[in-house]
Amino acid sequence: MSLKKFIAEAVSPWMKQKGPASDIVLSSRIRFARNLEGYPFPVTAPEESAQTLMNYTTAEIDLSSFQAERPLHAVTMDRLSSNERRILVEKHLISPYLADKSTHGALLLSGDESISIMINEEDHLRLQCLLPGFQLKEGLETANKVDDWLEGKVTYAYDEELGYLTSCPTNVGTGMRASVMMHLPALVMTQQLNRMMPAVNQVGLAVRGIYGEGSEALGNLFQISNQVTLGKSEQDIVDELEGVVDQLLQQERKAREHLLNTSRLQLEDRMYRSYGQLRFSRIMESKESAQRLSDVRFAIDAGLLQGVSGDILNELMVLTQPAMLQQYAGAALSPGERDERRASLIRERLKLEEQGDELSGGGSE
Amino acid sequence: MLCQQCQKRQATLHFTKIVNNEKTEMSLCDQCAKERGDHVPGANSYSIHELLSGLLHSDSPTSQTAAPARKSRHPACQSCGMTYEQFRKVGKLGCARCYETFEARLKPVLSRVHSGYHMHTGKSPKHAVPRRNVQQEIEQLQAEMQEHIVNEEFEKAAEVRDRIRALHSRDSLDETGDA
Ligand SMILES: [Zn+2]
Ligand SMILES: [Zn+2]
């Protein structure tokens, strides 16, 4: 398979669209957790009950009845290879739990992959809407539409006082997790983010790295999300999150400006070095590639580097994950082989960019 | 919504069938969905009848009360059999009823997780309305009562309090009437 074709198939269509403030806010996500009245939650459900739910949602519901122009498609986990399931995780369409541990897990997915509904995850239904850029309100609107549609098909477990009942009490109430993925290299470089974190936590929001473990955030990519789901309306939660994201956005812009004004040469040097590493290396570990990709993305946004598309960071962060690399290679790879493949995929990708090939954007398919 | 077949239990799965351009809608409880089982299209490799037998068992309180492992002082959830100790271990509740079963012990947990909030104020499903009006009325009265207290109109406050109490008891009557 050619790299171009691989990218066309591997990158979610919604990711190829440009969203507002997408130089810093890469994507927005709304997730609703829902359960069915009268059915035990997946954690205690007998296998037959899980199977009934899977069958009902994947075979009984008319999946085109949500939106004729945007029909959903059903995929049951048992029909996918473990690598195919990992790829869905790497594309943020399903959770690792659904991929590996759920009983009769399934996924309902829209063609543009912006709407997905997990069946038999920790909760019976987990619906999520993913949008490019800073679009939490739009995400909430779409999520509500999906939710209203599903509500006509099943009876939700709901309590007047506690709201939507979820398996984990941390989700009860709205069952909603709203989040954005932000690229914050300048706040990290100037060590401002560490100082801002406590304030963000204090208003009930969580900041964590998207890739990497512990406190390390690979690629300077952070997820900001609400923690509280009870006692606030969906709209309030989104408004609060938007306010904080807006603050972070402005601080990041200021920090970038400051860095460019005070240490432009050092910045340029660092970024071109990173570009050179990505363009010519033969072995590339995921940790290094994340940092270098972040540098290059920063350089593109700052206007220091021309001729490379800004999508390169989010796109290559997904494409260079282990299962994706194995898919591209068509074989299982050892960690060492992955590092080699990762380096060659990034090299090829940047070469395409230099040749001026039209890669992103809807264009031809 | 009640199950259209037995008119007794809560309907959970809603079916839409189009036969000869005519749309029929049906809402069934888990048990009636099971009985309907054999002619469910799409259920190609197995019969719904078999699938739902497990549901029946988990629903009947007899199978749960018969289950052992009742060493702890605290009772297990009547509906799914989970104990609070189990919940603490896995961090997940077993079913919607667990929220009632463990209400007293969950309350402080919820309050801690949700910054002291304890009342849902967001979206609600359209078919879950019945108690809502009473609930809103109570909230309104509570605000009214608060106002009286602030103004030191204690007799009026007591009057409102009695009305709240009356609503509370009506509310719980409605609940038992539904079940
Ligand atoms: Zn019935
Ligand atoms: Zn329970």
Side-chain angles (χ1 to χ4, degrees), chain B residues 130-142 144 159-175:
Chain B
R131 266 172 55 188
R132 197 64 179 173
N133 295 335
V134 180
Q135 207 67 51
Q136 277 165 349
E137 210 174 316
I138 289 174
E139 273 166 45
Q140 214 172 350
L141 286 172
Q142 271 163 347
E144 205 177 303
E159 246 172 62
V160 178
R161 183 201 58 206
D162 289 344
R163 276 163 67 198
I164 294 173
R165 280 193 184 150
L167 278 175
H168 268 304
S169 56
R170 200 180 94 199
D171 197 19
S172 49
L173 273 182
D174 281 353
E175 246 188 285

Side-chain angles (χ1 to χ4, degrees), chain A residues 65-181:
Chain A
S65 67
F66 166 56
Q67 282 178 347
E69 73 281 9
R70 184 150 63 163
L72 301 171
H73 303 277
V75 195
T76 56
M77 288 302 117
D78 57 4
R79 292 181 57 187
L80 299 177
S81 70
S82 73
N83 201 60
E84 286 170 320
R85 296 198 296 269
R86 294 311 301 177
I87 285 177
L88 292 174
V89 175
E90 291 172 1
K91 292 171 86 174
H92 308 287
L93 295 173
I94 65 172
S95 63
Y97 179 87
L98 193 83
D100 300 325
K101 299 209 176 68
S102 77
T103 310
H104 297 296
L107 170 70
L108 308 181
L109 188 63
S110 67
D112 63 359
E113 298 181 358
S114 73
I115 298 172
S116 59
I117 304 170
M118 286 189 273
I119 317 289
N120 283 323
E121 218 265 0
E122 177 184 310
D123 296 297
H124 291 140
L125 305 168
R126 285 255 173 130
L127 42 131
Q128 93 168 1
C129 293
L130 272 165
L131 290 173
F134 192 13
Q135 302 195 71
L136 285 168
K137 278 201 182 72
E138 292 77 1
L140 179 59
E141 204 176 299
T142 311
N144 271 326
K145 277 184 197 155
V146 180
D147 187 42
D148 294 345
W149 170 74
L150 268 175
E151 196 193 304
K153 314 286 177 197
V154 297
T155 298
Y156 286 150
Y158 178 84
D159 178 82
E160 300 290 323
E161 260 177 55
L162 292 175
Y164 295 94
L165 301 176
T166 53
S167 189
C168 185
T170 55
N171 295 316
V172 79
T174 58
M176 182 176 85
R177 192 78 61 214
S179 64
V180 293
M181 191 201 285

Side-chain angles (χ1 to χ4, degrees), chain B residues 3 5-7 9 29 32:
Chain B
C3 169
Q5 198 148 307
C6 65
Q7 305 285 345
R9 288 174 290 264
C29 68
C32 294

